[in-house]
Structures are given as C-alpha cells and as structure tokens.
Amino acid sequence: MADAALGVTPCWELAFDADGDADGGLRDRLLREVVDRGVKDLVVLAHDWNDDRETATGLCDRFFAPFPGLAPNARLGYAGVLWPSMRFADEAVPGRGRGAAGVADASSGPALDKATRAALSTVLPGRATLIDQLARMLDQQPEGEAALEEYGRLVRLLVELPPEAPGAAFASDTLLEAGARGEPRMFLGNTARTCREFAQALAQDAPGPPGVPRVWDGARELLRQATYFAMKRRAGAVGERGLGRLLGRLAQAAPGVRVHLVGHGSGGRLVSFALRGLPRGVRTVKSVTLLQAAFSHYAFAARLPHDVRDGGVLHGRQDRVDGPLVCCFSRFDTALGTGYPLASRTAGDDREAAGPGLPRLLGPWWGALGHDGVQAVPGTRTLTLADALGTALPASGCVNVDASAVVRRGGPPAGAHGDIFHRELARVVLAAGRIR
C-alpha cells in the first residue's frame, strides 16, 4: 500500500500470513518511516474475513478518505492490515453495490463459481479436491438426507485444523469453549437440519414476501459460515501473534506515536486479539473502534450471564487500551443478527431453534458485537450515534454506539454488514482517539 495507492498520506501496508507472521519488509518500512513522516496519530484498519486483497485495499481507501478533511490539523498516518482471508466472488463488494445474488440460484448456473473455488483453494491450501467435491454437490443438489450428511462431512474436513496447528487455539470467544463443547453445532449432529435452519433464515431475510426455503441454499450458507469460522480463527491468530507483537515493536521505535485500532467484521476480532498480544507495559494504543464486529458480544465479559463458570476470552483486555473501546453496531446487519447466532451455537448448548422467527428463539446467548454491542461488562455505556458525536465519549472502558442511523443498507445474506463508509463513522474513530 504505497502512498500512491490511497487518497491519504502517509500510509503503509502491514501484511501477515495465516499464522500471524509479518511481512518483514513492510513492517520495517513502517517502523522506519513513521517518525520520519512526523506522524503523531496512526490509524490502523483491519478488514473483514470476506475480502480479498483488492477489496481490502479498496476498503482502506474508502474508509480513510474523510479523515484528512475531518481533522485537518492532526498529524495523521494510516496503516491497512492485510491478512489472508477470502471473498465469495458472487457476493456484493462492500460499498460498491451488488453483484450476483448472495445465495446462488441453482437455475442460473453453478452454485459455487470458479472464482470462489479458486479463492477457497488459495486461503485453504491443499484442499482443492474437497472444494471440487463440495462445488459438484452444490451444483447437482442430490436429494436425500444422506447426501446432505456427506456434504457436511466434507465441509468439516475443509476447515478443520490439527490441534497442534498455530491457529487452532484461536477459535473460541469464551474461556471454557474447548473440544466438543466449543465446536460449533453446525459441524456436528444433523447436517440436514442445520441446512434447513440456514435456508429458513435466508428465506426470511430475503426482500419482499418470505420465500420458500430451499435446503441447498442452506447448504451453501453452511459452507460460507464454515469459511467464516476458519477466518475467525485466523483473525485471532493474526491479531495476537502478528499485530499485537508489531505494535510492541512500534512502541519501542516510536514511543510518542498514538495508535488507534479499527476493525471491520472479523477485522474487529483481529484488532481485539492484538490487545492480548501487546507486550506488558505498552500503553500506546489510545482507542479501539469496532465496526460491525463479527465475534461474541460476551468476549470482553468476566462472567457470562447464562453460565457464571465461563467468561469471555478477552475479558479485561479493554484495560490495555489507554482510552475507550468503542463498539458500533446496527440492527440492520443480518449477517450478524441472523447467520451469526445460527452458526455460532456450540455442541454444549441445549437450546434449539425451530419454527417461525428461528433466529429470535436463540436468545442472547449467541449474539455478535456488531448486532447489539458489548454485553455483560459493568460500566459499559450505550449511546446513539448522534449522542456519540454530540458529546465527548467516555475516556476509558467499553462504549456501545448504535450506528443503525447510517449502517442500514444492503441485501441478503449480509444486510448492512458492509455499509461502513460514512463520515459519521470516521468521526467516531476520531472522537474515540481524541484526535483533533
């Protein structure tokens, strides 16, 4: 991400592999230049799981664009975190309108297009045969529950990691999620039932009158959600092992530079796990802003309301921020309001979803930060967007901001999940960091 690549300057690219290892040349360039360029406030943005490299760079370009005009006197620098994620190629690119429909229509051609198959092969190397088998089943849509069970087995094989793999420890959002208890229910039990649940949710969220649920639409969504699960795991590893350590080195090289972390979707999980990877004593992170963050709304809780034995995997990490942790959420984000809770239920949970309005029957247990904000953290304040921009934000702790006033546009299956390109959200980042 050379300066010429974006409309803002100075800017840098920070790239990490799936295990969190940084591109040393890009890292060293940032460490060398950030002081020379006179930066006092560095805004670091991590993209979502469903972005390829081109889309991620475009996201940084669009999101950073308002900052110079909103803070003309600030000595700002910008960094985009690029991590190996993927985009389903027939879905909308955030901020660029819609391409093909979010759920493929079996009558219009293959249900898993060539570009998406190639992307899956890139981010999940060594699994080309599995991907071809899944694509063939989605295209042919064989009848019977046995076919769906075989499909579910292949999906599980696609995304599983051996326990000793570096990223395997980063799948959970609560402390007690381990083994079968923490395994998402979508990978276990009756795959046909899970696919029907996804199909029903997709039909409910489609524009116009509710459609007829089609089980292979749900099967495709199962693959999409399983890919999200693999990228969620990866985001945690890149955040803690990669970005967190890099921020420690930056604090040594440029102790006067104030860092402001921003994450969209799974990028929110990445920057939050970076707080876990910060070396002891580092206090240069002055704000964190989560935009439609795609992980548990209990991740920062010391105790879960429905299970006091358990707590969030990031509990207390908001205290590593020398300023507020701001969570922007929207009720129009159907990716997090519908798909996320269905996909995130674990095998140890005995609550079932069935019948009309099934996502609502899941209760609050599987909610996402980007749908209703930080939960079960004492002292958390919740503000409207207007109030957040009209008054000084709290100087520390967790702050929820209901951004539904602007984050509201988008079609199925994600809804407004990608609708983050608003001056108001840039103003929230500046307000959280006390950047003027």
Side-chain angles (χ1 to χ4, degrees):
M1 195 180 299
D3 284 352
L6 296 181
V8 295
T9 186
C11 57
W12 294 270
E13 181 179 274
L14 297 173
F16 299 90
D17 68 15
D19 296 327
D21 293 327
D23 180 307
L26 295 175
R27 176 198 62 210
D28 293 345
R29 178 181 174 230
L30 171 70
L31 297 177
R32 183 176 63 250
E33 295 182 2
V34 70
V35 174
D36 294 342
R37 301 293 291 268
V39 171
K40 292 299 182 185
D41 288 278
L42 180 68
V43 184
V44 180
L45 174 63
H47 61 84
D48 200 3
W49 75 275
N50 204 13
D51 293 319
D52 55 23
R53 189 182 184 97
E54 178 185 2
T55 308
T57 302
L59 180 147
C60 292
D61 191 2
R62 292 201 63 197
F63 189 78
F64 285 148
F67 281 74
L70 292 172
N73 299 319
R75 296 167 68 179
L76 284 167
Y78 309 87
V81 175
L82 301 182
W83 57 289
S85 55
M86 69 154 289
R87 183 173 69 86
F88 275 62
D90 62 341
E91 296 178 3
V93 176
R96 299 186 191 176
R98 294 196 58 72
V103 176
D105 185 339
S107 66
S108 64
L112 201 64
D113 58 275
K114 184 177 179 180
T116 299
R117 294 200 302 272
L120 284 167
S121 295
T122 299
V123 300
L124 299 170
R127 294 170 172 84
T129 299
L130 279 174
I131 293 165
D132 288 343
Q133 289 176 288
L134 289 165
R136 187 160 50 249
M137 294 189 76
L138 284 169
D139 196 22
Q140 296 174 352
Q141 302 187 6
E143 295 184 1
E145 293 207 1
L148 288 167
E149 293 302 325
E150 172 62 10
Y151 176 86
R153 185 185 71 83
L154 295 175
V155 169
R156 183 184 176 92
L157 287 174
L158 179 69
V159 301
E160 70 179 3
L161 281 179
E164 66 276 9
F170 293 93
S172 302
D173 283 345
T174 66
L175 295 173
L176 294 184
E177 284 181 354
R181 184 184 186 278
E183 192 76 9
R185 187 188 291 272
M186 65 179 172
F187 294 144
L188 302 173
N190 189 313
T191 299
R193 182 184 66 184
T194 300
C195 291
R196 284 193 291 269
E197 289 177 356
F198 278 131
Q200 183 181 346
L202 291 168
Q204 289 177 353
D205 287 335
V212 177
R214 302 189 304 181
V215 69
W216 281 98
D217 286 350
R220 187 182 187 279
E221 183 65 11
L222 173 64
L223 175 60
R224 219 176 67 87
Q225 292 292 343
T227 306
Y228 152 74
F229 177 79
M231 296 302 106
K232 166 188 172 180
R233 187 172 55 201
R234 183 173 294 178
V238 172
E240 181 171 333
R241 296 166 52 89
L243 182 59
R245 294 175 183 177
L246 187 150
L247 293 176
R249 295 187 62 169
L250 178 62
Q252 290 181 323
V257 173
R258 307 168 74 247
V259 176
H260 310 277
L261 301 179
V262 185
H264 172 226
S266 291
R269 193 172 196 263
L270 191 156
V271 299
S272 297
F273 269 73
L275 300 175
R276 225 170 62 157
L278 280 179
R280 187 182 302 274
V282 171
R283 300 294 291 172
T284 53
V285 176
K286 302 300 180 180
S287 68
V288 174
T289 305
L290 307 179
L291 306 172
Q292 305 311 116
F295 63 110
S296 173
H297 58 192
Y298 292 136
F300 294 97
R303 294 289 182 270
L304 305 190
H306 56 285
D307 188 349
V308 296
R309 301 167 301 167
D310 204 356
V313 72
L314 295 172
H315 76 87
R317 300 297 174 172
Q318 66 272 20
D319 296 336
R320 297 303 312 272
V321 185
D322 191 23
L325 184 145
V326 178
C327 178
C328 295
F329 66 93
S330 171
R331 64 182 179 274
F332 298 108
D333 187 334
T334 52
L336 300 184
T338 299
Y340 177 89
L342 282 173
S344 297
R345 292 170 299 160
T346 61
D349 185 70
D350 59 4
R351 303 171 189 89
E352 296 293 336
L358 81 167
R360 287 82 188 168
L361 296 182
L362 293 170
W365 300 281
W366 305 113
L369 285 158
H371 180 66
D372 59 3
V374 174
Q375 302 294 316
V377 175
T380 298
R381 291 187 58 189
T382 298
L383 305 173
T384 66
L385 182 60
D387 286 341
L389 297 177
T391 60
L393 289 174
S396 62
C398 296
V399 184
N400 292 327
V401 175
D402 185 351
S404 301
V406 295
V407 180
R408 56 189 304 117
R409 294 184 295 274
H417 183 68
D419 186 24
I420 62 168
F421 304 104
H422 299 282
R423 286 174 63 88
E424 292 88 346
L425 298 183
R427 289 175 60 195
V428 169
V429 174
L430 294 169
R434 307 302 202 262
I435 302 172
R436 298 176 178 84

